[in-house]
Amino acid sequence: MISRQKLKSDAKQQLKGKWALAIIVCLIYTLIVEVSTASTGSSFSESVNGLIVTLNIIGILIYGPIEAGLARFTLNLANDKENAKFSNLFSQFKLFFKLLIMSAIFYISVFIGIVLFIIPGIILALMFSQAYFIAVENPELSAIKCLSKSASMMKGHKMDLFVLTLSFIGWLLACIITLGIGFLWYVPYYQMTLTNFYLELNKKEVLDI
């Protein structure tokens, strides 16, 4: 059994003295993700819509490396604070094509699962949730191998991650009440907790070998 309380307690401890840096990194990460999912509307001029579409395409292309870059940052913060730097966020472009393929497989699979029936999409998202951490720590592995290894690691732990995610609902409500300001603290805290979840799974896998 993975202790949610310990994962969160460790996250708070790891963020001590690094909150400002973590907030900046997560803020830039969030802005990039938002750009990649921005939608066009008929109320905008054609030139503005064209710009949004262009930003969407760029955002989709760089999403994988940025997601992996955030994983690199939080892993560094968890393992050795001195190695956690803003540049970590952009450090994984060296794996661009691998991460692009992995992201495409990840999101197409989840999208199909959600379209067919919502629950399979959620299960696939949970199953592949560790792929970016694995890709960062194992750059020699292919996109398929990273997704396969994530699925293997998550056997018997999908509900653990689902419940862990639900445990942050109180934080989300606080973010809404503070008109979004709370997200500055919520995102780093949440990401560090997910990182600790991965590290715990990784530790269990090593012990089982």
Side-chain angles (χ1 to χ4, degrees):
M1 176 68 73
I2 296 176
S3 170
R4 294 191 300 277
Q5 290 74 20
K6 185 177 186 308
L7 297 179
K8 292 181 175 182
S9 175
D10 287 348
K12 291 175 184 175
Q13 189 62 37
Q14 290 153 353
L15 285 163
K16 276 187 177 179
K18 292 289 184 178
W19 271 106
L21 176 60
I23 287 172
I24 292 170
V25 169
C26 289
L27 182 59
I28 298 300
Y29 160 81
T30 302
L31 289 174
I32 292 172
V33 171
E34 288 299 316
V35 164
S36 69
T37 57
S39 60
T40 60
S42 57
S43 60
F44 292 106
S45 67
E46 187 174 329
S47 60
V48 172
N49 279 337
L51 175 61
I52 293 175
V53 169
T54 301
L55 290 174
N56 282 171
I57 293 171
I58 294 173
I60 290 169
L61 289 175
I62 70 173
Y63 176 80
I66 291 298
E67 188 74 32
L70 181 64
R72 178 72 279 167
F73 173 76
T74 56
L75 283 168
N76 284 350
L77 200 54
N79 295 319
D80 184 358
K81 288 185 180 183
E82 296 308 310
N83 285 327
K85 299 177 174 62
F86 177 78
S87 59
N88 294 156
L89 186 61
F90 303 97
S91 66
Q92 301 304 301
F93 277 89
K94 58 189 176 185
L95 304 176
F96 178 81
F97 291 107
K98 167 182 159 178
L99 293 168
L100 180 62
I101 293 168
M102 194 174 79
S103 296
I105 295 172
F106 186 120
Y107 286 102
I108 289 172
S109 299
V110 172
F111 176 76
I112 292 173
I114 289 175
V115 168
L116 293 177
F117 196 63
I118 294 174
I119 293 177
I122 294 173
I123 291 173
L124 284 168
L126 293 169
M127 191 167 72
F128 295 146
S129 60
Q130 309 306 304
Y132 290 103
F133 293 114
I134 294 167
V136 166
E137 293 209 301
N138 304 274
E140 75 283 357
L141 295 182
S142 68
I144 298 295
K145 284 285 187 182
C146 290
L147 292 167
S148 176
K149 186 173 173 63
S150 174
S152 176
M153 289 178 72
M154 287 299 291
K155 283 180 181 177
H157 296 290
K158 287 185 278 293
M159 184 56 70
D160 289 333
L161 180 56
F162 184 68
V163 174
L164 177 63
T165 301
L166 289 181
S167 72
F168 281 89
I169 287 178
W171 268 82
L172 287 172
L173 291 175
C175 291
I176 293 170
I177 292 171
T178 58
L179 302 178
I181 295 174
F183 280 108
L184 293 174
W185 288 268
Y186 162 77
V187 177
Y189 179 36
Y190 178 68
Q191 292 296 338
M192 283 307 304
T193 303
L194 293 184
T195 301
N196 289 328
F197 181 83
Y198 162 76
L199 291 172
E200 190 65 26
L201 286 185
N202 208 28
K203 190 190 305 179
K204 286 179 178 293
E205 187 172 72
V206 170
L207 291 174
D208 289 341
I209 292 175

mmCIF file with all atom_site columns, all heavy atoms in Angstrom, residues 112-136:
data_model
loop_
_atom_site.group_PDB
_atom_site.id
_atom_site.type_symbol
_atom_site.label_atom_id
_atom_site.label_alt_id
_atom_site.label_comp_id
_atom_site.label_asym_id
_atom_site.label_entity_id
_atom_site.label_seq_id
_atom_site.pdbx_PDB_ins_code
_atom_site.Cartn_x
_atom_site.Cartn_y
_atom_site.Cartn_z
_atom_site.occupancy
_atom_site.B_iso_or_equiv
_atom_site.pdbx_formal_charge
_atom_site.auth_seq_id
_atom_site.auth_comp_id
_atom_site.auth_asym_id
_atom_site.auth_atom_id
_atom_site.pdbx_PDB_model_num
ATOM 1   N N   . ILE A 1 112 ? -9.379  7.743  -27.894 1.00 0.00 ? 112 ILE A N   1
ATOM 2   C CA  . ILE A 1 112 ? -10.228 6.662  -28.404 1.00 0.00 ? 112 ILE A CA  1
ATOM 3   C C   . ILE A 1 112 ? -10.958 5.983  -27.250 1.00 0.00 ? 112 ILE A C   1
ATOM 4   O O   . ILE A 1 112 ? -12.150 5.670  -27.346 1.00 0.00 ? 112 ILE A O   1
ATOM 5   C CB  . ILE A 1 112 ? -9.383  5.632  -29.194 1.00 0.00 ? 112 ILE A CB  1
ATOM 6   C CG1 . ILE A 1 112 ? -8.867  6.265  -30.490 1.00 0.00 ? 112 ILE A CG1 1
ATOM 7   C CG2 . ILE A 1 112 ? -10.212 4.384  -29.513 1.00 0.00 ? 112 ILE A CG2 1
ATOM 8   C CD1 . ILE A 1 112 ? -7.892  5.401  -31.258 1.00 0.00 ? 112 ILE A CD1 1
ATOM 9   N N   . GLY A 1 113 ? -10.231 5.762  -26.143 1.00 0.00 ? 113 GLY A N   1
ATOM 10  C CA  . GLY A 1 113 ? -10.841 5.130  -24.976 1.00 0.00 ? 113 GLY A CA  1
ATOM 11  C C   . GLY A 1 113 ? -11.985 5.949  -24.410 1.00 0.00 ? 113 GLY A C   1
ATOM 12  O O   . GLY A 1 113 ? -13.026 5.407  -24.026 1.00 0.00 ? 113 GLY A O   1
ATOM 13  N N   . ILE A 1 114 ? -11.819 7.268  -24.400 1.00 0.00 ? 114 ILE A N   1
ATOM 14  C CA  . ILE A 1 114 ? -12.857 8.159  -23.870 1.00 0.00 ? 114 ILE A CA  1
ATOM 15  C C   . ILE A 1 114 ? -14.059 8.221  -24.809 1.00 0.00 ? 114 ILE A C   1
ATOM 16  O O   . ILE A 1 114 ? -15.211 8.227  -24.372 1.00 0.00 ? 114 ILE A O   1
ATOM 17  C CB  . ILE A 1 114 ? -12.285 9.575  -23.631 1.00 0.00 ? 114 ILE A CB  1
ATOM 18  C CG1 . ILE A 1 114 ? -11.325 9.542  -22.434 1.00 0.00 ? 114 ILE A CG1 1
ATOM 19  C CG2 . ILE A 1 114 ? -13.403 10.585 -23.378 1.00 0.00 ? 114 ILE A CG2 1
ATOM 20  C CD1 . ILE A 1 114 ? -10.596 10.838 -22.174 1.00 0.00 ? 114 ILE A CD1 1
ATOM 21  N N   . VAL A 1 115 ? -13.784 8.248  -26.128 1.00 0.00 ? 115 VAL A N   1
ATOM 22  C CA  . VAL A 1 115 ? -14.862 8.293  -27.122 1.00 0.00 ? 115 VAL A CA  1
ATOM 23  C C   . VAL A 1 115 ? -15.702 7.018  -27.069 1.00 0.00 ? 115 VAL A C   1
ATOM 24  O O   . VAL A 1 115 ? -16.934 7.065  -27.117 1.00 0.00 ? 115 VAL A O   1
ATOM 25  C CB  . VAL A 1 115 ? -14.282 8.491  -28.543 1.00 0.00 ? 115 VAL A CB  1
ATOM 26  C CG1 . VAL A 1 115 ? -15.358 8.255  -29.598 1.00 0.00 ? 115 VAL A CG1 1
ATOM 27  C CG2 . VAL A 1 115 ? -13.720 9.903  -28.689 1.00 0.00 ? 115 VAL A CG2 1
ATOM 28  N N   . LEU A 1 116 ? -15.026 5.861  -26.979 1.00 0.00 ? 116 LEU A N   1
ATOM 29  C CA  . LEU A 1 116 ? -15.744 4.591  -26.927 1.00 0.00 ? 116 LEU A CA  1
ATOM 30  C C   . LEU A 1 116 ? -16.551 4.462  -25.642 1.00 0.00 ? 116 LEU A C   1
ATOM 31  O O   . LEU A 1 116 ? -17.703 4.052  -25.651 1.00 0.00 ? 116 LEU A O   1
ATOM 32  C CB  . LEU A 1 116 ? -14.747 3.427  -27.038 1.00 0.00 ? 116 LEU A CB  1
ATOM 33  C CG  . LEU A 1 116 ? -14.031 3.299  -28.388 1.00 0.00 ? 116 LEU A CG  1
ATOM 34  C CD1 . LEU A 1 116 ? -13.020 2.162  -28.340 1.00 0.00 ? 116 LEU A CD1 1
ATOM 35  C CD2 . LEU A 1 116 ? -15.037 3.050  -29.513 1.00 0.00 ? 116 LEU A CD2 1
ATOM 36  N N   . PHE A 1 117 ? -15.916 4.811  -24.546 1.00 0.00 ? 117 PHE A N   1
ATOM 37  C CA  . PHE A 1 117 ? -16.561 4.769  -23.229 1.00 0.00 ? 117 PHE A CA  1
ATOM 38  C C   . PHE A 1 117 ? -15.591 5.419  -22.267 1.00 0.00 ? 117 PHE A C   1
ATOM 39  O O   . PHE A 1 117 ? -14.417 5.083  -22.270 1.00 0.00 ? 117 PHE A O   1
ATOM 40  C CB  . PHE A 1 117 ? -16.862 3.316  -22.821 1.00 0.00 ? 117 PHE A CB  1
ATOM 41  C CG  . PHE A 1 117 ? -17.838 3.203  -21.692 1.00 0.00 ? 117 PHE A CG  1
ATOM 42  C CD1 . PHE A 1 117 ? -19.140 3.651  -21.836 1.00 0.00 ? 117 PHE A CD1 1
ATOM 43  C CD2 . PHE A 1 117 ? -17.460 2.659  -20.476 1.00 0.00 ? 117 PHE A CD2 1
ATOM 44  C CE1 . PHE A 1 117 ? -20.047 3.552  -20.787 1.00 0.00 ? 117 PHE A CE1 1
ATOM 45  C CE2 . PHE A 1 117 ? -18.357 2.554  -19.418 1.00 0.00 ? 117 PHE A CE2 1
ATOM 46  C CZ  . PHE A 1 117 ? -19.653 3.000  -19.591 1.00 0.00 ? 117 PHE A CZ  1
ATOM 47  N N   . ILE A 1 118 ? -16.033 6.323  -21.448 1.00 0.00 ? 118 ILE A N   1
ATOM 48  C CA  . ILE A 1 118 ? -15.145 7.161  -20.643 1.00 0.00 ? 118 ILE A CA  1
ATOM 49  C C   . ILE A 1 118 ? -14.168 6.356  -19.787 1.00 0.00 ? 118 ILE A C   1
ATOM 50  O O   . ILE A 1 118 ? -12.978 6.668  -19.717 1.00 0.00 ? 118 ILE A O   1
ATOM 51  C CB  . ILE A 1 118 ? -15.967 8.103  -19.731 1.00 0.00 ? 118 ILE A CB  1
ATOM 52  C CG1 . ILE A 1 118 ? -16.728 9.108  -20.599 1.00 0.00 ? 118 ILE A CG1 1
ATOM 53  C CG2 . ILE A 1 118 ? -15.063 8.838  -18.749 1.00 0.00 ? 118 ILE A CG2 1
ATOM 54  C CD1 . ILE A 1 118 ? -17.672 9.996  -19.838 1.00 0.00 ? 118 ILE A CD1 1
ATOM 55  N N   . ILE A 1 119 ? -14.638 5.287  -19.153 1.00 0.00 ? 119 ILE A N   1
ATOM 56  C CA  . ILE A 1 119 ? -13.802 4.525  -18.215 1.00 0.00 ? 119 ILE A CA  1
ATOM 57  C C   . ILE A 1 119 ? -12.539 3.948  -18.862 1.00 0.00 ? 119 ILE A C   1
ATOM 58  O O   . ILE A 1 119 ? -11.452 4.059  -18.287 1.00 0.00 ? 119 ILE A O   1
ATOM 59  C CB  . ILE A 1 119 ? -14.627 3.417  -17.523 1.00 0.00 ? 119 ILE A CB  1
ATOM 60  C CG1 . ILE A 1 119 ? -15.682 4.067  -16.611 1.00 0.00 ? 119 ILE A CG1 1
ATOM 61  C CG2 . ILE A 1 119 ? -13.725 2.483  -16.713 1.00 0.00 ? 119 ILE A CG2 1
ATOM 62  C CD1 . ILE A 1 119 ? -16.618 3.106  -15.931 1.00 0.00 ? 119 ILE A CD1 1
ATOM 63  N N   . PRO A 1 120 ? -12.619 3.340  -20.070 1.00 0.00 ? 120 PRO A N   1
ATOM 64  C CA  . PRO A 1 120 ? -11.382 2.844  -20.702 1.00 0.00 ? 120 PRO A CA  1
ATOM 65  C C   . PRO A 1 120 ? -10.350 3.950  -20.923 1.00 0.00 ? 120 PRO A C   1
ATOM 66  O O   . PRO A 1 120 ? -9.142  3.715  -20.799 1.00 0.00 ? 120 PRO A O   1
ATOM 67  C CB  . PRO A 1 120 ? -11.871 2.275  -22.043 1.00 0.00 ? 120 PRO A CB  1
ATOM 68  C CG  . PRO A 1 120 ? -13.282 1.895  -21.784 1.00 0.00 ? 120 PRO A CG  1
ATOM 69  C CD  . PRO A 1 120 ? -13.803 2.955  -20.861 1.00 0.00 ? 120 PRO A CD  1
ATOM 70  N N   . GLY A 1 121 ? -10.815 5.158  -21.235 1.00 0.00 ? 121 GLY A N   1
ATOM 71  C CA  . GLY A 1 121 ? -9.901  6.289  -21.425 1.00 0.00 ? 121 GLY A CA  1
ATOM 72  C C   . GLY A 1 121 ? -9.176  6.642  -20.140 1.00 0.00 ? 121 GLY A C   1
ATOM 73  O O   . GLY A 1 121 ? -7.966  6.908  -20.154 1.00 0.00 ? 121 GLY A O   1
ATOM 74  N N   . ILE A 1 122 ? -9.895  6.617  -19.032 1.00 0.00 ? 122 ILE A N   1
ATOM 75  C CA  . ILE A 1 122 ? -9.288  6.912  -17.727 1.00 0.00 ? 122 ILE A CA  1
ATOM 76  C C   . ILE A 1 122 ? -8.273  5.826  -17.365 1.00 0.00 ? 122 ILE A C   1
ATOM 77  O O   . ILE A 1 122 ? -7.178  6.129  -16.890 1.00 0.00 ? 122 ILE A O   1
ATOM 78  C CB  . ILE A 1 122 ? -10.375 7.009  -16.629 1.00 0.00 ? 122 ILE A CB  1
ATOM 79  C CG1 . ILE A 1 122 ? -11.290 8.211  -16.893 1.00 0.00 ? 122 ILE A CG1 1
ATOM 80  C CG2 . ILE A 1 122 ? -9.741  7.117  -15.243 1.00 0.00 ? 122 ILE A CG2 1
ATOM 81  C CD1 . ILE A 1 122 ? -12.482 8.306  -15.965 1.00 0.00 ? 122 ILE A CD1 1
ATOM 82  N N   . ILE A 1 123 ? -8.644  4.579  -17.618 1.00 0.00 ? 123 ILE A N   1
ATOM 83  C CA  . ILE A 1 123 ? -7.740  3.464  -17.306 1.00 0.00 ? 123 ILE A CA  1
ATOM 84  C C   . ILE A 1 123 ? -6.455  3.573  -18.119 1.00 0.00 ? 123 ILE A C   1
ATOM 85  O O   . ILE A 1 123 ? -5.347  3.379  -17.596 1.00 0.00 ? 123 ILE A O   1
ATOM 86  C CB  . ILE A 1 123 ? -8.432  2.109  -17.586 1.00 0.00 ? 123 ILE A CB  1
ATOM 87  C CG1 . ILE A 1 123 ? -9.560  1.884  -16.576 1.00 0.00 ? 123 ILE A CG1 1
ATOM 88  C CG2 . ILE A 1 123 ? -7.416  0.957  -17.523 1.00 0.00 ? 123 ILE A CG2 1
ATOM 89  C CD1 . ILE A 1 123 ? -10.411 0.665  -16.849 1.00 0.00 ? 123 ILE A CD1 1
ATOM 90  N N   . LEU A 1 124 ? -6.564  3.907  -19.408 1.00 0.00 ? 124 LEU A N   1
ATOM 91  C CA  . LEU A 1 124 ? -5.383  4.047  -20.264 1.00 0.00 ? 124 LEU A CA  1
ATOM 92  C C   . LEU A 1 124 ? -4.511  5.211  -19.792 1.00 0.00 ? 124 LEU A C   1
ATOM 93  O O   . LEU A 1 124 ? -3.281  5.115  -19.800 1.00 0.00 ? 124 LEU A O   1
ATOM 94  C CB  . LEU A 1 124 ? -5.813  4.265  -21.715 1.00 0.00 ? 124 LEU A CB  1
ATOM 95  C CG  . LEU A 1 124 ? -6.314  3.011  -22.450 1.00 0.00 ? 124 LEU A CG  1
ATOM 96  C CD1 . LEU A 1 124 ? -6.989  3.396  -23.765 1.00 0.00 ? 124 LEU A CD1 1
ATOM 97  C CD2 . LEU A 1 124 ? -5.165  2.040  -22.699 1.00 0.00 ? 124 LEU A CD2 1
ATOM 98  N N   . ALA A 1 125 ? -5.158  6.323  -19.392 1.00 0.00 ? 125 ALA A N   1
ATOM 99  C CA  . ALA A 1 125 ? -4.400  7.480  -18.897 1.00 0.00 ? 125 ALA A CA  1
ATOM 100 C C   . ALA A 1 125 ? -3.609  7.112  -17.643 1.00 0.00 ? 125 ALA A C   1
ATOM 101 O O   . ALA A 1 125 ? -2.445  7.489  -17.491 1.00 0.00 ? 125 ALA A O   1
ATOM 102 C CB  . ALA A 1 125 ? -5.345  8.643  -18.608 1.00 0.00 ? 125 ALA A CB  1
ATOM 103 N N   . LEU A 1 126 ? -4.231  6.357  -16.750 1.00 0.00 ? 126 LEU A N   1
ATOM 104 C CA  . LEU A 1 126 ? -3.555  5.909  -15.535 1.00 0.00 ? 126 LEU A CA  1
ATOM 105 C C   . LEU A 1 126 ? -2.439  4.916  -15.871 1.00 0.00 ? 126 LEU A C   1
ATOM 106 O O   . LEU A 1 126 ? -1.351  4.963  -15.296 1.00 0.00 ? 126 LEU A O   1
ATOM 107 C CB  . LEU A 1 126 ? -4.561  5.255  -14.582 1.00 0.00 ? 126 LEU A CB  1
ATOM 108 C CG  . LEU A 1 126 ? -5.615  6.188  -13.967 1.00 0.00 ? 126 LEU A CG  1
ATOM 109 C CD1 . LEU A 1 126 ? -6.691  5.370  -13.263 1.00 0.00 ? 126 LEU A CD1 1
ATOM 110 C CD2 . LEU A 1 126 ? -4.977  7.168  -12.991 1.00 0.00 ? 126 LEU A CD2 1
ATOM 111 N N   . MET A 1 127 ? -2.710  4.042  -16.816 1.00 0.00 ? 127 MET A N   1
ATOM 112 C CA  . MET A 1 127 ? -1.759  2.999  -17.197 1.00 0.00 ? 127 MET A CA  1
ATOM 113 C C   . MET A 1 127 ? -0.470  3.590  -17.778 1.00 0.00 ? 127 MET A C   1
ATOM 114 O O   . MET A 1 127 ? 0.628   3.124  -17.500 1.00 0.00 ? 127 MET A O   1
ATOM 115 C CB  . MET A 1 127 ? -2.406  2.074  -18.233 1.00 0.00 ? 127 MET A CB  1
ATOM 116 C CG  . MET A 1 127 ? -1.637  0.808  -18.529 1.00 0.00 ? 127 MET A CG  1
ATOM 117 S SD  . MET A 1 127 ? -2.655  -0.375 -19.459 1.00 0.00 ? 127 MET A SD  1
ATOM 118 C CE  . MET A 1 127 ? -2.725  0.434  -21.061 1.00 0.00 ? 127 MET A CE  1
ATOM 119 N N   . PHE A 1 128 ? -0.604  4.651  -18.578 1.00 0.00 ? 128 PHE A N   1
ATOM 120 C CA  . PHE A 1 128 ? 0.556   5.259  -19.236 1.00 0.00 ? 128 PHE A CA  1
ATOM 121 C C   . PHE A 1 128 ? 1.118   6.461  -18.474 1.00 0.00 ? 128 PHE A C   1
ATOM 122 O O   . PHE A 1 128 ? 2.009   7.151  -18.959 1.00 0.00 ? 128 PHE A O   1
ATOM 123 C CB  . PHE A 1 128 ? 0.177   5.712  -20.647 1.00 0.00 ? 128 PHE A CB  1
ATOM 124 C CG  . PHE A 1 128 ? -0.182  4.585  -21.581 1.00 0.00 ? 128 PHE A CG  1
ATOM 125 C CD1 . PHE A 1 128 ? -1.159  4.756  -22.555 1.00 0.00 ? 128 PHE A CD1 1
ATOM 126 C CD2 . PHE A 1 128 ? 0.449   3.361  -21.492 1.00 0.00 ? 128 PHE A CD2 1
ATOM 127 C CE1 . PHE A 1 128 ? -1.489  3.725  -23.420 1.00 0.00 ? 128 PHE A CE1 1
ATOM 128 C CE2 . PHE A 1 128 ? 0.128   2.314  -22.355 1.00 0.00 ? 128 PHE A CE2 1
ATOM 129 C CZ  . PHE A 1 128 ? -0.850  2.492  -23.328 1.00 0.00 ? 128 PHE A CZ  1
ATOM 130 N N   . SER A 1 129 ? 0.614   6.706  -17.273 1.00 0.00 ? 129 SER A N   1
ATOM 131 C CA  . SER A 1 129 ? 0.938   7.927  -16.527 1.00 0.00 ? 129 SER A CA  1
ATOM 132 C C   . SER A 1 129 ? 2.409   8.086  -16.150 1.00 0.00 ? 129 SER A C   1
ATOM 133 O O   . SER A 1 129 ? 2.876   9.197  -15.906 1.00 0.00 ? 129 SER A O   1
ATOM 134 C CB  . SER A 1 129 ? 0.083   8.000  -15.259 1.00 0.00 ? 129 SER A CB  1
ATOM 135 O OG  . SER A 1 129 ? 0.349   6.868  -14.426 1.00 0.00 ? 129 SER A OG  1
ATOM 136 N N   . GLN A 1 130 ? 3.153   6.991  -16.099 1.00 0.00 ? 130 GLN A N   1
ATOM 137 C CA  . GLN A 1 130 ? 4.552   7.068  -15.661 1.00 0.00 ? 130 GLN A CA  1
ATOM 138 C C   . GLN A 1 130 ? 5.534   7.167  -16.834 1.00 0.00 ? 130 GLN A C   1
ATOM 139 O O   . GLN A 1 130 ? 6.748   7.214  -16.633 1.00 0.00 ? 130 GLN A O   1
ATOM 140 C CB  . GLN A 1 130 ? 4.900   5.835  -14.813 1.00 0.00 ? 130 GLN A CB  1
ATOM 141 C CG  . GLN A 1 130 ? 3.925   5.548  -13.686 1.00 0.00 ? 130 GLN A CG  1
ATOM 142 C CD  . GLN A 1 130 ? 3.712   6.732  -12.783 1.00 0.00 ? 130 GLN A CD  1
ATOM 143 O OE1 . GLN A 1 130 ? 4.661   7.282  -12.230 1.00 0.00 ? 130 GLN A OE1 1
ATOM 144 N NE2 . GLN A 1 130 ? 2.452   7.147  -12.615 1.00 0.00 ? 130 GLN A NE2 1
ATOM 145 N N   . ALA A 1 131 ? 5.014   7.210  -18.055 1.00 0.00 ? 131 ALA A N   1
ATOM 146 C CA  . ALA A 1 131 ? 5.856   7.132  -19.252 1.00 0.00 ? 131 ALA A CA  1
ATOM 147 C C   . ALA A 1 131 ? 6.884   8.253  -19.353 1.00 0.00 ? 131 ALA A C   1
ATOM 148 O O   . ALA A 1 131 ? 8.029   8.021  -19.760 1.00 0.00 ? 131 ALA A O   1
ATOM 149 C CB  . ALA A 1 131 ? 4.974   7.111  -20.507 1.00 0.00 ? 131 ALA A CB  1
ATOM 150 N N   . TYR A 1 132 ? 6.517   9.484  -18.976 1.00 0.00 ? 132 TYR A N   1
ATOM 151 C CA  . TYR A 1 132 ? 7.460   10.606 -19.103 1.00 0.00 ? 132 TYR A CA  1
ATOM 152 C C   . TYR A 1 132 ? 8.604   10.487 -18.097 1.00 0.00 ? 132 TYR A C   1
ATOM 153 O O   . TYR A 1 132 ? 9.754   10.785 -18.429 1.00 0.00 ? 132 TYR A O   1
ATOM 154 C CB  . TYR A 1 132 ? 6.731   11.940 -18.945 1.00 0.00 ? 132 TYR A CB  1
ATOM 155 C CG  . TYR A 1 132 ? 5.838   12.250 -20.112 1.00 0.00 ? 132 TYR A CG  1
ATOM 156 C CD1 . TYR A 1 132 ? 4.455   12.079 -20.024 1.00 0.00 ? 132 TYR A CD1 1
ATOM 157 C CD2 . TYR A 1 132 ? 6.366   12.691 -21.331 1.00 0.00 ? 132 TYR A CD2 1
ATOM 158 C CE1 . TYR A 1 132 ? 3.629   12.337 -21.104 1.00 0.00 ? 132 TYR A CE1 1
ATOM 159 C CE2 . TYR A 1 132 ? 5.549   12.952 -22.416 1.00 0.00 ? 132 TYR A CE2 1
ATOM 160 C CZ  . TYR A 1 132 ? 4.176   12.770 -22.294 1.00 0.00 ? 132 TYR A CZ  1
ATOM 161 O OH  . TYR A 1 132 ? 3.367   13.020 -23.375 1.00 0.00 ? 132 TYR A OH  1
ATOM 162 N N   . PHE A 1 133 ? 8.297   10.040 -16.898 1.00 0.00 ? 133 PHE A N   1
ATOM 163 C CA  . PHE A 1 133 ? 9.351   9.816  -15.912 1.00 0.00 ? 133 PHE A CA  1
ATOM 164 C C   . PHE A 1 133 ? 10.318  8.733  -16.410 1.00 0.00 ? 133 PHE A C   1
ATOM 165 O O   . PHE A 1 133 ? 11.536  8.867  -16.304 1.00 0.00 ? 133 PHE A O   1
ATOM 166 C CB  . PHE A 1 133 ? 8.755   9.366  -14.569 1.00 0.00 ? 133 PHE A CB  1
ATOM 167 C CG  . PHE A 1 133 ? 7.948   10.417 -13.871 1.00 0.00 ? 133 PHE A CG  1
ATOM 168 C CD1 . PHE A 1 133 ? 6.581   10.266 -13.684 1.00 0.00 ? 133 PHE A CD1 1
ATOM 169 C CD2 . PHE A 1 133 ? 8.558   11.566 -13.383 1.00 0.00 ? 133 PHE A CD2 1
ATOM 170 C CE1 . PHE A 1 133 ? 5.838   11.234 -13.019 1.00 0.00 ? 133 PHE A CE1 1
ATOM 171 C CE2 . PHE A 1 133 ? 7.821   12.550 -12.707 1.00 0.00 ? 133 PHE A CE2 1
ATOM 172 C CZ  . PHE A 1 133 ? 6.458   12.374 -12.539 1.00 0.00 ? 133 PHE A CZ  1
ATOM 173 N N   . ILE A 1 134 ? 9.744   7.671  -16.959 1.00 0.00 ? 134 ILE A N   1
ATOM 174 C CA  . ILE A 1 134 ? 10.551  6.560  -17.471 1.00 0.00 ? 134 ILE A CA  1
ATOM 175 C C   . ILE A 1 134 ? 11.423  7.019  -18.634 1.00 0.00 ? 134 ILE A C   1
ATOM 176 O O   . ILE A 1 134 ? 12.606  6.675  -18.715 1.00 0.00 ? 134 ILE A O   1
ATOM 177 C CB  . ILE A 1 134 ? 9.637   5.398  -17.914 1.00 0.00 ? 134 ILE A CB  1
ATOM 178 C CG1 . ILE A 1 134 ? 8.927   4.800  -16.690 1.00 0.00 ? 134 ILE A CG1 1
ATOM 179 C CG2 . ILE A 1 134 ? 10.435  4.323  -18.649 1.00 0.00 ? 134 ILE A CG2 1
ATOM 180 C CD1 . ILE A 1 134 ? 7.784   3.865  -17.026 1.00 0.00 ? 134 ILE A CD1 1
ATOM 181 N N   . ALA A 1 135 ? 10.858  7.828  -19.532 1.00 0.00 ? 135 ALA A N   1
ATOM 182 C CA  . ALA A 1 135 ? 11.607  8.327  -20.692 1.00 0.00 ? 135 ALA A CA  1
ATOM 183 C C   . ALA A 1 135 ? 12.798  9.175  -20.267 1.00 0.00 ? 135 ALA A C   1
ATOM 184 O O   . ALA A 1 135 ? 13.884  9.090  -20.848 1.00 0.00 ? 135 ALA A O   1
ATOM 185 C CB  . ALA A 1 135 ? 10.676  9.136  -21.595 1.00 0.00 ? 135 ALA A CB  1
ATOM 186 N N   . VAL A 1 136 ? 12.588  9.987  -19.231 1.00 0.00 ? 136 VAL A N   1
ATOM 187 C CA  . VAL A 1 136 ? 13.658  10.864 -18.730 1.00 0.00 ? 136 VAL A CA  1
ATOM 188 C C   . VAL A 1 136 ? 14.785  10.052 -18.098 1.00 0.00 ? 136 VAL A C   1
ATOM 189 O O   . VAL A 1 136 ? 15.962  10.330 -18.317 1.00 0.00 ? 136 VAL A O   1
ATOM 190 C CB  . VAL A 1 136 ? 13.074  11.868 -17.703 1.00 0.00 ? 136 VAL A CB  1
ATOM 191 C CG1 . VAL A 1 136 ? 14.186  12.544 -16.929 1.00 0.00 ? 136 VAL A CG1 1
ATOM 192 C CG2 . VAL A 1 136 ? 12.217  12.903 -18.409 1.00 0.00 ? 136 VAL A CG2 1
#
